[in-house]
């Protein structure tokens, strides 16, 4: 098996039922006005732990062998995947270790600790944290659960695609945030199996869009990681990428890139018009519509993928401040 298909996604759905929320799909009158087509929003930012990553993590944890369950799981993600894995492991009664560098802000560290994971602080970079992950796999037999490039993760995220077409049977176009591609690979596999001519659009920030650069190059490439309002879309696709790069290449119709002010406008619109608090990565579908970066034809659904934004940053953005994280980091 070299790809994730509908049967894998349906199996994942049965496996994670009861462990995740089936999130609502709501009409957006304001975006329908702007675009002239019916626009729907899927409120996946209401998922447990605040992001869709619980779907993939729960599907992976549910498939551990007895021996692996007894030893535990490990990852190096300090963002939404780390939170999801910590939660999924705790619910399953499995030990979870999250490795991170000493540069990770203490609020992120405490959030993951509060979900029941053990924290290992190692070195001063994500690469050094990954060295500790590899050691724990080798020496203590923990199982690494990666954030996107894993068939169990892709199948879990793909359950969103099934919920989308069931909520909007005449769906023509799906707008999906894109980073490592686990999310869009699973969704595209589900959607295209059910409705082959559905258009699937991936959306990334223009700053450090690793998958977009890889598609252009024809193979996975490394990009410089820069501060962005869509922080959950940062990071590479992995030079040894096995699952998501080929799936995105074969199944995704188009990739759209957004500037920081465009992403800010998406966050602002979600708050002021839809009354929803979403993080930058989750606002990109809405932002692409507002920026006129794609011409939707037919019923269109934007996936709001997560809510985990620093609330002080959110307040500044929705108050209309012109936030430039690059200048602030310099
Ligand atoms: C991880 C994440 C994404 C991107 O998912 P990939 O599978 O890496 O493409 C988008 N939005 C949010 C909120 C995320 O946490």
């Amino acid at each position: 098996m070299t790809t994730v298909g509908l049967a894998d996604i349906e199996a994942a759905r049965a496996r994670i039922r009861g462990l995740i929320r089936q999130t609502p799909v709501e009409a957006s009158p304001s975006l329908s006005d702007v675009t002239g087509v019916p626009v729907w929003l899927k409120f996946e930012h209401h998922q447990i732990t605040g992001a869709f990553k619980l779907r993939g993590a729960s599907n992976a944890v549910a498939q551990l062998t007895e021996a692996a369950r007894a030893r535990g799981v490990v990852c190096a993600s300090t963002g939404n995947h780390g939170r999801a894995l910590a939660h999924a492991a705790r619910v399953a009664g499995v030990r979870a270790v999250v490795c991170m560098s000493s540069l990770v802000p203490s609020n992120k560290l405490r959030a993951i600790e509060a979900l029941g994971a053990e924290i290992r602080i190692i070195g001063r970079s994500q690469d050094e944290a990954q060295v500790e992950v590899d050691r724990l796999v080798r020496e203590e037999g923990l199982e690494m659960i990666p954030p996107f490039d894993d068939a169990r993760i892709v199948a879990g995220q793909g359950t969103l695609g099934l919920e989308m077409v069931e909520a909007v049977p005449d769906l023509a176009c799906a707008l999906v945030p894109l980073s490592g591609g686990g999310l869009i690979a699973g969704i595209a596999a589900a959607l295209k199996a059910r409705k082959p001519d559905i258009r699937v659009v991936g959306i990334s920030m223009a700053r450090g869009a690793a998958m977009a650069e890889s598609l252009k190059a024809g193979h996975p490439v490394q990009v410089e990681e820069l501060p962005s309002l869509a922080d959950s879309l940062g990071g590479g696709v992995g030079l040894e990428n096995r699952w998501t790069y080929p799936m995105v290449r074969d199944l995704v119709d188009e990739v759209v890139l957004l500037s920081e002010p465009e992403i800010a406008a998406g966050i602002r619109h979600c708050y002021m018009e839809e009354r929803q608090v979403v993080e930058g990565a989750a606002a990109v579908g809405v932002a692409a519509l507002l920026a006129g970066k794609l011409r939707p034809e037919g019923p269109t659904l934007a996936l709001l993928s997560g809510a985990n934004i620093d609330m002080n940053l959110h307040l500044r953005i929705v108050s209309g401040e012109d936030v430039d994280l690059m200048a602030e980091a310099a």
Side-chain angles (χ1 to χ4, degrees), residues 308-325:
N308 293 324
I309 185 169
D310 178 288
M311 287 309 286
N312 289 308
L313 175 63
H314 189 268
L315 180 60
R316 291 168 59 199
I317 293 167
V318 299
S319 303
E321 188 182 327
D322 189 8
V323 178
D324 182 352
L325 293 181

Side-chain angles (χ1 to χ4, degrees), residues 51-53 80 147-148 177-184 232-233 279 281-282 305-306:
F52 70 89
K53 289 214 171 59
N80 289 331
F148 54 87
L178 170 59
S179 175
L183 175 63
I184 202 170
S232 291
L233 300 184
E279 58 177 285
S305 53

Side-chain angles (χ1 to χ4, degrees), residues 32-266:
S32 302
D33 266 0
V34 169
T35 58
V37 299
V39 176
W40 304 87
L41 301 174
K42 184 160 176 66
F43 281 14
E44 185 67 7
H45 61 304
H46 291 183
Q47 188 54 262
I48 303 162
T49 69
F52 70 89
K53 289 214 171 59
L54 188 61
R55 293 172 184 262
S58 299
N59 189 42
V61 168
Q63 291 178 82
L64 294 172
T65 62
E66 264 320 303
R69 283 181 59 90
R71 289 190 296 261
V73 293
V74 61
C75 76
S77 162
T78 60
N80 289 331
H81 176 65
R83 297 170 68 114
L85 186 62
H87 176 89
R90 181 163 67 175
V91 167
V94 170
R95 175 185 178 208
V97 180
V98 179
C99 301
M100 54 184 78
S101 89
S102 59
L103 300 182
V104 170
S106 63
N107 60 326
K108 279 198 168 181
L109 187 157
R110 277 195 304 271
I112 289 177
E113 214 166 28
L115 289 165
E118 278 169 53
I119 306 292
R120 294 279 171 94
I121 312 273
I122 302 290
R124 295 182 57 79
S125 72
Q126 196 63 14
D127 287 348
E128 287 177 78
Q130 186 59 44
V131 170
E132 175 67 2
V133 171
D134 296 341
R135 191 191 69 75
L136 287 167
V137 169
R138 213 172 43 241
E139 293 178 11
E140 296 187 23
L142 297 192
E143 180 152 336
M144 180 175 69
I145 310 288
F148 54 87
D149 196 27
D150 181 294
R152 301 164 296 181
I153 298 291
V154 172
Q157 324 303 33
T159 60
L160 277 163
L162 302 178
E163 291 178 23
M164 287 176 183
V165 273
E166 284 159 17
V168 186
D170 59 348
L171 187 64
C173 179
L175 309 180
V176 183
L178 170 59
S179 175
L183 175 63
I184 202 170
I187 288 175
L191 289 179
K192 299 220 163 175
R194 286 277 170 90
K195 287 189 82 173
D197 50 5
I198 223 160
R199 182 175 162 213
V200 179
V201 181
I203 307 160
S204 305
M205 69 292 187
R207 270 183 195 170
M211 187 62 84
E213 291 299 324
S214 300
L215 292 170
K216 229 186 289 169
H219 56 88
V221 295
Q222 215 143 19
V223 297
E224 192 192 355
E225 200 171 333
L226 297 166
S228 168
L229 294 174
D231 56 315
S232 291
L233 300 184
V237 303
L239 294 178
E240 306 293 313
N241 187 296
R242 181 155 169 242
W243 298 94
T244 63
Y245 171 76
M247 287 184 76
V248 171
R249 181 194 59 204
D250 296 346
L251 296 172
V252 173
D253 297 288
E254 182 182 345
V255 175
V256 170
L257 301 180
L258 296 175
S259 70
E260 295 296 300
E262 286 167 343
I263 295 168

